[in-house]
Amino acid sequence: MNLIIPPSLYPEMFLLLSICAILLIDMFLGDAKRNITYALSLLALGVCGVLTMNATTGTSVYLSNNMFVSDAMSNLLKMFSYIAVGVTFIYGRQYATDRGMTSGLLGGEFYTLALFSLLGQMIMISGNNLLIIYLGLELMSLALYALVALRRDNNVSTEAAMKYFVLGALASGFLLYGISMLYGATGTLNLNKMAEVAASVNANKTILVFGIVFLVAGLAFKLGVVPFHMWVPDVYQGSPTVVTLLLGGAPKLAAFAITYRLLVEGLFPLAVDWQQMLMVLAVMSMAVGNITAIAQTNLKRMLAYSTISQMGFMLLGFLSGVSNGNTELAAEAYSASMFYAVTYVMTTLGTFGIILMLSRAGFEAENISDLKGLNKRSKWFAFIMLLLMFSLAGIPPLMGFYAKLSVLSSVVAAGQIWLAVAAVLFSLIGAFYYLRIVKVMYFDEAVDTSPITANMDLKLVLSANGLAVLVLGLMPGSLLRSCVDAVKSALAS
């Protein structure tokens, strides 16, 4: 019997084979030739992007006994995931080399573990079965646990890895327990069939709601929202900065995807129940994240609390999508959350790119004071950081402003006026610590006056990253329309 692999599976299959090939090739490379591993990793990401574009048909394709779905939303999120990981490799190459993360007999594991994490994210994004989503989640998580602990001689990194592993195992248990309850109540692991059973009059609503509670708890941990946020600041601060970027970038897109798959596609008939849970998570995250970030002096820790508040803001779109009962408005609301997730990832990439550029051998640029007088050292990169901070704060005409406006518009359209007011107030509080970074860069005296030295590829990509945040803020229509079309395609399937 001939084995025919559908084109929609080509990206995942190619990435898996590429990881195996890179592992084998890297065994025969010395430290002086480690750039070959770096180049092969970027090449693999580029080929995956081409395969994903070729697999895009405009319709939803179900594969492997309906366990895997390829649709416009999954393909778009995968494309941004490739970009996020590729940009992280470019930003972090010199940083990882200076700290011995890409040297020795196991020097290539930084790149291969990151690619394994990406493979897990791709499976999560296209999962249409509870166990497939869980397997993708564990593949991503296990690779990230190892990456956090990659600096074996660093006690802070080891401690962060232990915290992340223990709390991650607890969250996986919550998620798996919720999956088992949902399977017991519906008799299926397929999300489409689960939605049909949940909508029937014979469904056991009590067990389903208990399952949703554990499922939302597991999702909340992966998103890093309150009250399941305790790992985020410690892991962000303790991880090598390049690994922190791997944690805060592409995984957030995968987390958005599984939240959509599980709650909207699989459990939409019970939206009234999970909507209330997400509402509490969103408001608490915006409150705790923004208020606590004000007191931070460590830049990575401040950005961790910023992430908590940003993920809370993203959840508002999920609340709006189920509040109105209108399919068109629902698509606008979910696409606003998707656009917000993409915006967050783009600004996070640039922000950590600046931190990585300022770091050097023996020095970690992770305190807010390390940015003092950046404008005198490099006017251009101080301007790029200003754009990124303004975007995170939601100041026009940057991409972050339009992302917040899109989410708030969907909240108002759903009739949740008080929720929109609360989100605006917490955003105003959050603007303080973003603007404080700008003040430090432009008005404080520089502690370090040495010129900034970085690879040309890092400088070029970082400049493009910052300008993209500005351009997509001025002209957000094409990206937002792509998000709307992707969500409509997923809702129609």
Side-chain angles (χ1 to χ4, degrees), residues 171 175 214-225 255 258-259 262-263:
L175 197 63
F214 285 100
L215 197 71
V216 169
L219 291 173
F221 178 90
K222 296 306 175 184
L223 286 167
V225 295
I258 61 170
T259 302
L262 294 173
L263 299 183

Side-chain angles (χ1 to χ4, degrees), residues 423-476:
V424 170
L425 291 176
F426 287 128
S427 294
L428 288 174
I429 295 172
F432 170 81
Y433 56 86
Y434 295 125
L435 296 178
R436 181 175 60 179
I437 301 293
V438 177
K439 175 259 180 188
V440 166
M441 291 191 303
Y442 280 88
F443 300 108
D444 287 9
E445 286 298 322
V447 176
D448 182 2
T449 57
S450 60
I452 296 174
T453 57
N455 295 329
M456 185 55 66
D457 56 350
L458 188 156
K459 290 183 176 181
L460 289 174
V461 175
L462 185 54
S463 299
N465 192 165
L467 292 176
V469 171
L470 175 61
V471 172
L472 288 172
L474 293 170
M475 296 179 290

